[in-house]
Amino acid sequence: MIHKIWMILFIIGIGYSFVTGRVDLVNQAILQGASSAVTLVFSLAGILIFWTGILQVANKAKMLDLLAILLRPVTKLLYPKLGAHHKAIKYLTANMISNLLGLSSVATGAGIKAIQALQETNPDQKKPSFEMYTLLVVNTAGLAFIPTTIITLRSTFNAINPTDVYMPIILTASVSLVIGLICHHIWSRIRKVHSSASSPQRH
Amino acid sequence: MNVGVYIVPVFLLVAFGMAFWNKTAAFDDFVDGAKDGIESVVSIVPNLVGMIVGTKVFLASGIVETLTELADPVLRLFNIEAATLPLMILRPLSGSASLSYASELIQVHGPDSLVGRLTSVIQASSDTTIYIITIYLAAVGIRNMRHALKLGLVVDLASFLLATVFVRIFFA
């Protein structure tokens, strides 16, 4: 899907520039786009590298284990049919923690391990299970307690108080997450989506 | 509204406190993790270059202006700033594309303007839905993603509308 989207950007962009006569701007976009991508990476690299380092410190210091225990009520609420000993639980927790900390690349790694563990006990392996939909909704909602990237960006452009958007961000993301979960539960009931907890774990 | 200021320092304090208590080799751990960080930063450079050039070409063609003009009456109805419409289109598609567009909007309009704040909230309170659904379901070989996409896009639409509401409530 990402391939089609990427090519459509070029095909529509170049095609429409013939209509509007902006071909010179397209040429300029190709030159500037490439170098601005590299500049963007370098401006964000420092803080990303710092956080992956700190996450490893927190991991070794057992702070992540503590967070997993603290977050157990939340995983129980989100995945009610999944027992505490299901293989997916620790990855689901790690995914949630890193999402909440705004570490999206760490979250993606944990999320992929979680969905693979859920697939092992998925009764119909061609269709996503109830828990997989929950995982997808949680991840697409983008709820984070530390929106590092946007705060960094705002301070780069000299915001008076870079963190003043904090409350609207948290409120928007949590309410849209709840809306997503409600839709997911209603749809799953109508379509009788199966649960990953309903079949024994395969080895 | 200054709770946000404390989150990072408190997180660091707890992490270092526990590292002290458990006598871990904190600096070695930091360097290890940071090396992984460098690797993932370097590995996203090709994706970013490809996506950003694609997005810039798309934007340079002027199609977004045409679309925004066409959609303007509808946007007014919902009280949405027209300048942020391209961001709403890009946000579910690509993290790098929407981040670069958000950065441009914040630079042009200023971080403390209505558009700048709305941009910040939209960018931070939703995620790259299509990318996430694609890679997660691809990881387990499930091709049936129609229902998941619908759900994800409902969440995105909800968060865009909520963003405009909350920004106006907090900064009116």
Side-chain angles (χ1 to χ4, degrees), chain B residues 44-122:
Chain B
I44 62 166
V45 173
N47 304 44
L48 272 169
V49 170
M51 256 316 161
I52 288 180
V53 174
T55 314
K56 293 243 178 199
V57 167
F58 185 77
L59 294 174
S61 73
I63 191 159
V64 173
E65 284 91 330
T66 310
L67 286 176
T68 309
E69 252 168 55
L70 289 173
D72 196 45
V74 185
L75 295 177
R76 270 169 208 274
L77 209 64
F78 288 98
N79 227 351
I80 297 170
E81 291 294 315
T84 56
L85 179 70
L87 183 67
M88 295 178 185
I89 298 170
L90 292 172
R91 192 68 190 99
L93 296 177
S94 156
S96 45
S98 63
L99 182 59
S100 66
Y101 197 75
S103 134
E104 224 162 281
L105 277 180
I106 292 176
Q107 189 174 18
V108 171
H109 294 266
D112 297 313
S113 65
L114 183 62
V115 172
R117 282 179 170 137
L118 195 53
T119 300
S120 311
V121 176
I122 289 170

Side-chain angles (χ1 to χ4, degrees), chain B residues 144-162:
Chain B
N144 184 337
M145 54 172 72
R146 247 184 45 217
H147 184 45
L149 275 176
K150 272 190 241 163
L151 260 181
L153 294 175
V154 164
V155 175
D156 285 341
L157 192 63
S159 71
F160 298 153
L161 294 175
L162 289 165

Side-chain angles (χ1 to χ4, degrees), chain A residues 6 13 16 20 61 154 160 164, chain B residues 7 22 50 61 66 111-112 117 120:
Chain A
W6 188 58
Y16 198 71
T20 50
R154 288 175 60 76
I160 298 165
D164 65 1
Chain B
I7 296 219
N22 290 317
S61 73
T66 310
D112 297 313
R117 282 179 170 137
S120 311

